Amino acid sequence: MAENTSIEWTRSEDGTPGSTWNPVTGCTKISDGCTNCYAETFAERWRGTAGHHFENGFDITLRPDRLRLPMTWRTPRRVFLNSMSDLFHTDIPDHYIAQVFAVMALTPQHTYQVLTKRHGRMKSLLSRPAFWHLVAEQGREHFTGCQEDWLAVGAMLGGQPLPNLWLGVSVEDQTWADIRIPALLETPAAVRFLSCEPLLGPVDLKQAVITMGSERGHGLTTSFVHASGCCERGLHGIDWVIAGGESGPRARPMHPQWARHLRDQCEMAGVPFFFKQWGQHAPEDHGHDRGRVALIDAQGRTWTEGEAPAQQDTLRMRRVGKTQAGRLLDGRHHDAFPAR
Ligand code: SF4
């Protein structure tokens, strides 16, 4: 697989493209955001092709021959880990995840972006000292002969997060915001981010925290979106929010109001916001008059032209393709990154 990636949010601020690193490939669907998983579509195309990297399609496949790849990269870079899988999938053994973390600890020159929909395992693994002991043990066993820098692991054993890891969860709608964001907030990480892509419904970030507070009896009502990294409960905050619509042949449209609302919440809280793309569909009132019409209301209900009931918040989107749709939101790019 190519090292360089065109994923917009993995590039550096100066425009240098980042890299992908896939020590595991394959996954299974777990929530609505997975419905049109691009990685599955790509991998399944090759199922049964003898000798091909994806001969086993999208089955979970450990790739130990890829584990050392970041150690061969001399230039520091941003690295999107597991663009073709989910690192915290239940079929990936703890000891293998520990080896991946050992490599990240041993390559502090790189910055790793790990995004998951398996918030529960992420939280339970990374919160346990036993896991960091496993990282140290697996690292010594498998990566002797590398430049030994176990300082980061030592610090993690002492409760400090891995400094070169940005940890994120996928948030496609309010339901998953209320479930995944609290788990992320309770997981040690140097930088925490949300990937609201594909955005399939409105997301009120405050509501997720209220859910979190009431579940634990905190009565927390302040927004956890806080650039300084802490909110009133002593929990770390969210450092970055990415939003985007879905691309691909079966893409679902994103109501513009959902992206604007996320942007405005971030702006109010001083949190960097990155608008990745409209995806396959762009708003007709952005000057698009070609492409099939899809109508969408603010709740995410969709209709084709001619069958939509007249409603005030129903908008006309055009299926123009990802490139044509672009990534301008209200006439400008939103390209902010966390201040690290
Ligand atoms: S978790 Fe990610 S990689 Fe796995 S099926 Fe869902 S979208 Fe695809």
Side-chain angles (χ1 to χ4, degrees), residues 57-102:
F58 206 42
D59 298 349
I60 291 275
T61 310
L62 306 186
R63 310 275 184 183
D65 57 315
R66 302 282 160 132
L67 274 171
R68 288 171 181 261
L69 188 61
M71 294 170 172
T72 67
W73 295 332
R74 293 186 148 200
T75 323
R77 61 191 70 188
R78 287 200 178 132
V79 182
F80 179 29
L81 177 57
N82 274 1
S83 60
M84 299 295 291
S85 184
D86 187 329
L87 184 63
F88 299 106
H89 192 285
T90 45
D91 290 350
I92 304 173
D94 285 2
H95 75 268
Y96 194 79
I97 298 175
Q99 287 177 37
V100 172
F101 271 80

Side-chain angles (χ1 to χ4, degrees), residues 26-31 33-34 37-40 58 82-86 117-118:
C27 194
T28 49
K29 293 178 169 151
I30 192 164
S31 64
C34 298
C37 173
Y38 76 91
E40 181 193 35
F58 206 42
N82 274 1
S83 60
M84 299 295 291
S85 184
D86 187 329
K117 288 186 175 72
R118 270 81 181 182

Side-chain angles (χ1 to χ4, degrees), residues 21-327:
W21 173 38
N22 284 290
V24 186
T25 57
C27 194
T28 49
K29 293 178 169 151
I30 192 164
S31 64
D32 282 353
C34 298
T35 303
N36 300 317
C37 173
Y38 76 91
E40 181 193 35
T41 308
F42 182 88
E44 283 299 329
R45 207 179 300 158
W46 305 102
R47 181 179 288 281
T49 307
H52 193 278
H53 191 69
F54 290 108
E55 181 178 356
N56 297 324
F58 206 42
D59 298 349
I60 291 275
T61 310
L62 306 186
R63 310 275 184 183
D65 57 315
R66 302 282 160 132
L67 274 171
R68 288 171 181 261
L69 188 61
M71 294 170 172
T72 67
W73 295 332
R74 293 186 148 200
T75 323
R77 61 191 70 188
R78 287 200 178 132
V79 182
F80 179 29
L81 177 57
N82 274 1
S83 60
M84 299 295 291
S85 184
D86 187 329
L87 184 63
F88 299 106
H89 192 285
T90 45
D91 290 350
I92 304 173
D94 285 2
H95 75 268
Y96 194 79
I97 298 175
Q99 287 177 37
V100 172
F101 271 80
V103 172
M104 291 195 278
L106 285 165
T107 50
Q109 70 273 28
H110 304 316
T111 299
Y112 293 92
Q113 299 169 326
V114 175
L115 176 63
T116 187
K117 288 186 175 72
R118 270 81 181 182
H119 53 278
R121 190 169 183 216
M122 168 195 74
K123 180 183 146 189
S124 77
L125 266 188
L126 304 193
S127 305
R128 267 192 277 141
F131 175 72
W132 299 107
H133 283 285
L134 190 61
V135 172
E137 180 193 297
Q138 290 291 314
R140 285 199 196 93
E141 190 180 326
H142 292 275
F143 306 113
T144 48
C146 304
Q147 184 199 355
E148 295 269 352
D149 177 5
W150 293 105
L151 283 177
V153 176
M156 286 181 292
L157 289 171
Q160 297 296 312
L162 193 59
N164 59 332
L165 168 62
W166 297 6
L167 199 59
V169 291
S170 299
V171 170
E172 57 260 54
D173 56 23
Q174 191 68 52
T175 301
W176 289 105
D178 294 345
I179 294 170
R180 291 189 182 127
I181 292 174
L184 178 65
L185 289 173
E186 292 191 334
T187 307
V191 170
R192 295 187 183 86
F193 70 96
L194 310 179
S195 173
C196 305
E197 186 205 359
L199 189 56
L200 301 176
V203 174
D204 182 338
L205 295 173
K206 275 186 193 165
Q207 186 179 314
V209 160
I210 291 165
T211 303
M212 181 181 182
S214 56
E215 269 175 9
R216 291 163 181 73
H218 288 156
L220 181 62
T221 53
T222 53
S223 169
F224 61 83
V225 181
H226 200 298
S228 68
C230 278
C231 76
E232 287 181 7
R233 308 302 319 180
L235 298 168
H236 289 281
I238 297 299
D239 300 294
W240 194 28
V241 174
I242 302 160
E246 192 167 42
S247 48
R250 290 184 293 275
R252 296 156 283 184
M254 169 180 68
H255 197 291
Q257 211 46 47
W258 305 339
R260 286 193 187 109
H261 185 45
L262 277 176
R263 176 199 61 193
D264 295 347
Q265 292 176 74
C266 288
E267 227 165 73
M268 291 253 306
V271 169
F273 175 74
F274 193 102
F275 185 62
K276 185 185 166 205
Q277 61 178 30
W278 279 105
Q280 207 73 6
H281 298 85
E284 191 178 72
D285 62 11
H286 280 41
H288 298 286
D289 57 4
R290 295 185 179 186
R292 202 180 330 138
V293 171
L295 295 111
I296 183 167
D297 72 7
Q299 287 73 51
R301 289 174 295 194
T302 56
W303 300 269
T304 55
E305 191 161 33
E307 65 172 16
Q311 282 178 217
Q312 273 194 335
D313 62 357
T314 304
L315 262 186
R316 290 170 66 86
M317 306 289 288
R318 289 279 190 167
R319 191 184 177 84
V320 295
K322 178 184 155 175
T323 309
Q324 278 293 316
R327 44 190 302 271

